[in-house]
Amino acid sequence: QVQLVESGGGLVQAGGSLRLSCAASGRILSLNYMGWYRQAPGKQRELVAAITSGGSTNYADSVKGRFTISRDNAKNMVYLQMNNLKPEDTAVYYCRLNQGGRDYWGQGTQVTVSS
């Protein structure tokens, strides 16, 4: 049973920073893809950033230059460093793991950016 647990969300003022963490447990394969997605009220869930087990990354245009995704394969952790946060970054942030043709999602963590 694979489980993903996010942490690090909260309330921050515009221009501030937060670091999200996602801990994966269970049977984690060496080849996988992990990503951060977000969903704001009334909007569809969207990709924020993703990273492969080899370290290749991609970002949504809206967060390039402000957010950085990283991972620690030994600890089965993925992180999202968010700098210069904006009110439009307010959303529930979800961690996603894709491996062996299956998707796993965390429960989400709320990020609220006040203006």
Side-chain angles (χ1 to χ4, degrees):
Q1 184 81 5
V2 173
Q3 286 191 320
L4 302 175
V5 179
E6 302 101 333
S7 60
L11 173 64
V12 64
Q13 288 188 329
S17 298
L18 284 174
R19 188 190 193 215
L20 304 183
S21 299
C22 174
S25 61
R27 187 169 177 259
I28 308 301
L29 304 179
S30 58
L31 292 178
N32 59 51
Y33 158 108
M34 296 190 79
W36 288 97
Y37 291 69
R38 67 187 180 188
Q39 188 166 18
K43 294 189 176 181
Q44 289 190 328
R45 191 172 297 188
E46 63 176 2
L47 171 70
V48 176
I51 186 167
T52 68
S53 48
S56 297
T57 59
N58 69 293
Y59 296 90
D61 287 343
S62 59
V63 307
K64 283 181 181 176
R66 300 188 297 122
F67 291 11
T68 303
I69 189 170
S70 61
R71 62 188 291 167
D72 184 333
N73 290 334
K75 296 181 179 180
N76 291 326
M77 296 285 296
V78 65
Y79 307 98
L80 186 68
Q81 178 65 45
M82 305 186 293
N83 298 327
N84 190 21
L85 282 159
K86 304 176 180 181
E88 52 264 41
D89 295 318
T90 295
V92 177
Y93 284 69
Y94 297 91
C95 178
R96 176 195 176 200
L97 166 67
N98 180 273
Q99 63 175 24
R102 294 188 64 178
D103 270 335
Y104 303 89
W105 292 89
Q107 82 288 351
T109 185
Q110 176 71 46
V111 171
T112 303
V113 185
S114 63
S115 58

